[in-house]
Amino acid sequence: MSETHTVEKAPVRISGTPTAQSDPVRGGSQRFRRQRAAMFGFIAPALLVYLVMVIAPSLQSIQISLTDWDGVNDAYNYVGLSNYEDILGSERFWNAVKNTLLLGLGSAVIVNVISLAVALLLDRLHHWQGFFRTIVYLPALVSGFIAATIWKYILNFNFGAVNTSLRDLGVPTWAHDWLGDSDIVVSVLLFLLCFTLGGNTTLIYLANLQSVPQELVEAARIDGASGRQVFRFVTWPMLAGAVTVNLTLAMIAGWTIFDQIMVLTSGGPGFISETMAFFIYKVGFGEYRAGYGSAAAVVLFIVVLVSTVVANRYMRSREIQA
Amino acid sequence: MSDATMRITGTRRRTVAAVMTVLGAVGLTACASGGEEEGAAAPDKTEIRFTYATGDESWNGAVKSVVEAYNAQSEIATVQLDPLTGGTDYATAVKTMDATGNWPAVIDMRDTRTYIEAGKLAPIPEEVTALLDDAVYSPASDGNVYVAPSTALNGEIGLNIIYDKAYFAENDLEVPATYDEFIELLEEIKANGDVPLATAAGEIWPSDQLWKPLASPVFAEWSDKGGFWAAVEEGKASVEDLREPLDRLKYITDNFVLEGWQSTQDAQTTTLLVNHQAVMATSSAGIGRLNDIHKVAPDFEAGLFIVPDDEGHINVLKNSVNGDTLSGLSISAQAKENGAEYDAAVDFLTYFYSVEAADIIEQAGVIAPNIKLADEITRNTAIPGAEDYFALLESPELVWYQNETLSPNFSAFNTFFRQTRIEMQDGQTSIDEAIAKSQAEFDNTITAG
């Protein structure tokens, strides 16, 4: 519907407002304000819940991070910045930061590369595309907790399907303690994480591929471009927005990975596979150190914010060039 | 939009509104009648929840049987079981109940001092404690008793090694009488081409099963002086004093433990044992583990022993009745506020510590709590291997020691210490590093308060 149509109708509906009748532009502006108020009215309940349930506790965690609160007792003491000092001097915390960055960035890159390749294959399918799209998306329908539990059975050292198969195939030396070998456990977690994240990413790429203007592709082909050149100079730039969205989502999912760690390794063996989210949970809830855990949460927020903004800025600049 | 369309839409809206009103009314009526039916189903009985941490099958079965028996005979209350299943994080579950004001009336308590100090628990009345052996409970600093034992307080005698008796007989092996004999036993089994020992660290806490018997000689030395950890807090002892047991732990892990222990779950060690993938397995379930083995492999001949020290003493930690590791059944302060729930909880605990309930617990394969009328309990001697357990209790080499830890932060340190040991056992760090890290963490979380 055009704007003109809306402005013409406005004086008729806003009865009893001579100014509006005499000034269609001003009448439209009032109507827009009223619409905006109505829209705000619609989102107000959700906004209220969000403010009370998410924003307020998040802000309160800054206050708690300056205390020695155990999470249960009403009494606590302010301890200044000592929680932050302890965290920043903790080898365990920095190991968790390293794992978080590794899993966040690693999963973002791997998932995006694989998903883009799968989306390109799906885009070229002329038959059974719906079936294969469903197959690709299925892992994303399973919750991280359930998927991790299934993987835990599959990768069990003594009774798991992977090691049993390897032993049955006559290559017992290939059997590993996939979730207990400190040399490989973080890589195994990275591999498992990519499974869960791939479905959504593939669908976003596929939707973007299918909206690439065909006239551009055909023009490039008429100009003699090879398939690779068409992808490099036409398709890839058109996917820039999707790359930004997918990388950002994948990084955030990686930064906040928790359930897989909880189920698969409990952060072990030792502390080797702890991530920041798991570390916060462990000290804040399991060890009754809510103040210390809140300080770690504040640090995690800063790490996620800075790294996401930097990554986004780089990707946005790429979009502009495209 | 045309007038006709608006009229149709308006009519449709009115129709939908009317239908919704009717449905709403029907729904409300249904809800109301449902409520009446539920109320009619349990007249005059107070419904309370009993939250407990699930364990081995024997313990789960014992709790279920006692609650069913209580519900069948009680005229004042109905107890609903509220199990915290395996994998549930106990601390998080209890904190969630606390944050949502959803405390059960009776709870299988851990980290008890934290909750006593926060005023979350109600005193257990004398009519309940009078049923118990006086040695198994103790008043807190305010003079009230907040925790009563859920099973027999036989200390950590249930933390032991379960072994394949048939294998021992076939290979002329004997239960070790000293630590050196234990090492020789491991070497002999290994020389036979078999794996001596299965242990677990997948859930972190089972790593204590191998560690504690090795460290107990050091802990026992400090028993009469207030306990080892209290001595560390006072600067009279240090984590360095645990170097020898840490050395032994590393040696046993490197040479005799079944591969994959880092990710093995506690319950899997039973499977590994009965599948003959290892000749022995660590356990902390005591007689319950023997019962579980008997259920899944009736022909398997299991026995148990505790790793002795160099002189042949069997050092066993006495139960804490007032320290940070204190655990058992408690009544919530929320139930106390309710009144009727508190009365129901007291009635349930009174039954729990009766001879009738003790017999039910014994039949399920768990040793009943230490009640005053213990002589009237019908003991379950039918579990194969149980005689080893009772023999340990009578052993002249048995040395009870105490290691009370009053700091509410001890459980936080203990989790860190377990993970540090696993890290060291796994070869990620040296023993020197493990000692230094643990001492620094102790100083930070316990000594500095």
Side-chain angles (χ1 to χ4, degrees):
Chain A
M1 191 177 285
S2 70
E3 264 186 46
T4 317
H5 179 73
T6 310
V7 173
E8 281 171 359
K9 286 271 183 186
V12 179
R13 296 196 178 179
I14 306 170
S15 56
T17 50
T19 314
Q21 283 175 341
S22 59
D23 185 352
V25 175
R26 195 168 171 188
S29 162
Q30 279 184 344
R31 184 163 182 264
F32 177 69
R33 274 202 296 273
R34 257 197 297 179
Q35 280 180 333
R36 204 163 55 173
M39 284 188 279
F40 182 76
F42 279 115
I43 65 165
L47 182 65
L48 186 68
V49 171
Y50 186 72
L51 286 173
V52 172
M53 304 299 288
V54 179
I55 301 299
S58 300
L59 291 175
Q60 196 186 16
S61 70
I62 297 172
Q63 177 218 343
I64 293 170
S65 73
L66 305 171
T67 71
D68 63 355
W69 190 42
D70 65 3
V72 178
N73 205 317
D74 291 340
Y76 55 80
N77 301 304
Y78 280 94
V79 294
L81 295 173
S82 72
N83 286 329
Y84 290 94
E85 286 169 18
D86 288 349
I87 284 167
L88 297 177
S90 162
E91 189 186 324
R92 178 184 178 186
F93 174 76
W94 288 113
N95 176 64
V97 171
K98 186 192 79 183
N99 287 338
T100 306
L101 293 174
L102 191 68
L103 292 173
L105 283 173
S107 65
V109 172
I110 294 170
V111 165
N112 275 273
V113 169
I114 295 173
S115 296
L116 181 57
V118 172
L120 285 167
L121 287 173
L122 285 173
D123 190 41
R124 289 173 189 215
L125 276 181
H126 297 296
H127 303 289
W128 295 80
Q129 199 195 65
F131 172 75
F132 285 108
R133 210 162 45 196
T134 307
I135 294 288
V136 167
Y137 192 72
L138 271 179
L141 292 175
V142 182
S143 82
F145 187 89
I146 302 290
T149 305
I150 294 168
W151 277 113
K152 190 171 186 173
Y153 284 112
I154 293 173
L155 297 176
N156 184 287
F157 176 74
N158 295 299
F159 315 110
V162 172
N163 281 354
T164 305
S165 302
L166 290 170
R167 289 174 188 129
D168 290 348
L169 289 169
V171 280
T173 51
W174 291 9
H176 272 83
D177 188 2
W178 305 103
L179 301 172
D181 184 338
S182 54
D183 292 331
I184 61 169
V185 67
V186 177
S187 306
V188 172
L189 289 170
L190 178 58
F191 172 79
L192 302 183
L193 186 61
C194 292
F195 258 86
T196 320
L197 295 176
N200 284 322
T201 315
T202 305
L203 282 198
I204 292 172
Y205 277 130
L206 187 60
N208 274 263
L209 278 171
Q210 291 176 346
S211 64
V212 172
Q214 284 308 298
E215 56 268 32
L216 288 182
V217 176
E218 283 165 18
R221 283 192 181 136
I222 290 167
D223 287 345
S226 65
R228 189 174 294 178
Q229 286 170 320
V230 170
F231 178 77
R232 168 72 184 84
F233 297 107
V234 179
T235 312
W236 178 241
M238 297 300 289
L239 289 177
V243 172
T244 305
V245 170
N246 276 334
L247 276 174
T248 306
L249 290 177
M251 274 194 295
I252 291 172
W255 296 160
T256 54
I257 176 175
F258 169 77
D259 38 7
Q260 288 93 337
I261 307 293
M262 178 78 183
V263 174
L264 290 165
T265 66
S266 296
F271 307 97
I272 196 88
S273 62
E274 283 184 341
T275 58
M276 285 176 76
F278 183 80
F279 174 82
I280 291 164
Y281 166 79
K282 192 90 187 281
V283 298
F285 291 86
E287 298 178 10
Y288 296 94
R289 289 194 284 173
Y292 187 75
S294 296
V298 172
V299 176
L300 171 63
F301 172 73
I302 294 168
V303 169
V304 170
L305 186 72
V306 170
S307 50
T308 309
V309 166
V310 169
N312 243 298
R313 184 164 291 175
Y314 167 72
M315 288 183 284
R316 289 269 178 218
S317 69
R318 213 187 121 264
E319 278 181 50
I320 293 163
Q321 285 165 9
Chain B
M1 192 183 286
S2 70
D3 284 352
T5 313
M6 286 180 75
R7 271 198 304 275
I8 291 167
T9 309
T11 309
R12 189 182 291 161
R13 279 184 189 149
R14 279 192 294 276
T15 309
V16 169
V19 169
M20 292 303 290
T21 306
V22 172
L23 285 176
V26 170
L28 284 173
T29 311
C31 288
S33 61
E36 281 166 17
E37 279 171 20
E38 273 181 20
D44 305 328
K45 277 195 173 188
T46 305
E47 198 168 277
I48 58 169
R49 272 167 44 235
F50 171 25
T51 297
Y52 72 104
T54 57
D56 53 86
E57 282 305 303
S58 300
W59 167 241
N60 300 341
V63 173
K64 189 166 179 280
S65 302
V66 170
V67 166
E68 283 173 356
Y70 172 78
N71 287 341
Q73 59 86 51
S74 175
E75 292 177 358
I76 70 158
T78 304
V79 176
Q80 295 284 341
L81 277 176
D82 182 16
L84 297 176
T85 52
T88 309
D89 184 305
Y90 179 87
T92 306
V94 178
K95 277 187 181 181
T96 307
M97 290 173 191
D98 182 46
T100 55
N102 191 30
W103 275 87
V106 180
I107 182 164
D108 186 6
M109 206 63 221
R110 307 277 189 278
D111 306 321
T112 312
R113 281 180 62 85
T114 302
Y115 291 95
I116 292 174
E117 287 178 9
K120 305 295 180 183
L121 303 180
I124 295 175
E126 198 182 345
E127 63 183 283
V128 174
T129 55
L131 301 170
L132 292 163
D133 187 314
D134 292 336
V136 298
Y137 65 92
S138 173
S141 55
D142 64 0
N144 291 315
V145 175
Y146 291 97
V147 184
S150 55
T151 60
L153 287 196
N154 287 331
E156 288 191 342
I157 210 154
L159 206 144
N160 44 43
I161 287 181
I162 310 283
Y163 69 99
D164 182 345
K165 274 189 171 174
Y167 182 94
F168 271 46
E170 284 165 22
N171 294 278
D172 292 327
L173 300 172
E174 288 186 1
V175 169
T178 63
Y179 178 75
D180 286 342
E181 285 185 23
F182 176 60
I183 296 298
E184 283 168 21
L185 173 68
L186 294 169
E187 285 168 347
E188 283 184 57
I189 295 171
K190 190 177 178 182
N192 289 346
D194 296 308
V195 177
L197 186 63
T199 192
E203 303 119 313
I204 299 174
W205 64 263
S207 61
D208 277 0
Q209 294 168 359
L210 183 55
W211 161 250
K212 279 201 169 174
L214 301 176
S216 63
V218 178
F219 293 151
E221 283 175 28
W222 292 90
S223 181
D224 297 335
K225 302 164 198 162
F228 176 77
W229 292 117
V232 176
E233 193 173 349
E234 292 163 11
K236 295 175 186 166
S238 71
V239 181
E240 175 66 33
D241 296 331
L242 297 172
R243 180 176 289 278
E244 187 180 58
L246 286 169
D247 266 328
R248 290 178 170 183
L249 179 68
K250 177 72 174 156
Y251 176 71
I252 293 170
T253 307
D254 286 350
N255 293 286
F256 306 112
V257 166
L258 181 67
E259 202 182 342
W261 60 271
Q262 297 95 326
S263 63
T264 298
Q265 309 282 303
D266 178 47
Q268 286 173 11
T269 55
T270 304
T271 315
L272 295 167
L273 184 70
V274 299
N275 284 350
H276 305 290
Q277 287 171 265
V279 177
M280 301 183 284
T282 57
S283 163
S284 51
I287 211 164
R289 182 57 56 93
L290 294 171
N291 194 37
D292 290 345
I293 290 172
H294 181 56
K295 280 182 193 166
V296 298
D299 296 332
F300 190 89
E301 294 176 55
L304 61 80
F305 68 87
I306 292 177
V307 179
D309 68 13
D310 293 329
E311 282 78 41
H313 301 310
I314 299 166
N315 301 289
V316 175
L317 178 69
K318 278 180 80 170
N319 284 98
S320 168
V321 288
N322 221 353
D324 185 54
T325 52
L326 172 67
S327 64
L329 302 183
S330 296
I331 303 175
S332 69
Q334 193 177 315
K336 177 78 175 171
E337 284 169 20
N338 179 280
E341 283 195 12
Y342 182 76
D343 294 342
V346 169
D347 190 59
F348 174 64
L349 288 184
T350 305
Y351 179 78
F352 195 88
Y353 299 119
S354 67
V355 174
E356 184 183 336
D359 286 345
I360 293 170
I361 293 170
E362 288 276 336
Q363 277 307 305
V366 176
I367 301 181
N370 313 60
I371 58 174
K372 281 208 171 83
L373 301 177
D375 292 344
E376 295 177 25
I377 299 172
T378 308
R379 298 292 178 185
N380 184 352
T381 53
I383 302 167
E387 65 278 8
D388 291 352
Y389 181 91
F390 294 114
L392 277 174
L393 284 169
E394 303 297 325
S395 170
E397 296 296 341
L398 181 62
V399 177
W400 293 105
Y401 72 89
Q402 298 187 73
N403 198 6
E404 293 280 338
T405 47
L406 293 174
S407 167
N409 292 336
F410 184 76
S411 58
F413 165 74
N414 203 27
T415 305
F416 182 90
F417 188 41
R418 282 174 181 147
Q419 287 181 261
T420 304
R421 289 198 313 263
I422 293 170
E423 199 178 42
M424 180 274 294
Q425 286 174 267
D426 190 43
Q428 297 173 44
T429 56
S430 66
I431 292 175
D432 287 340
E433 287 169 326
I435 290 171
K437 275 176 74 168
S438 302
Q439 184 67 56
E441 184 71 10
F442 188 94
D443 293 343
N444 202 27
T445 57
I446 309 285
T447 310

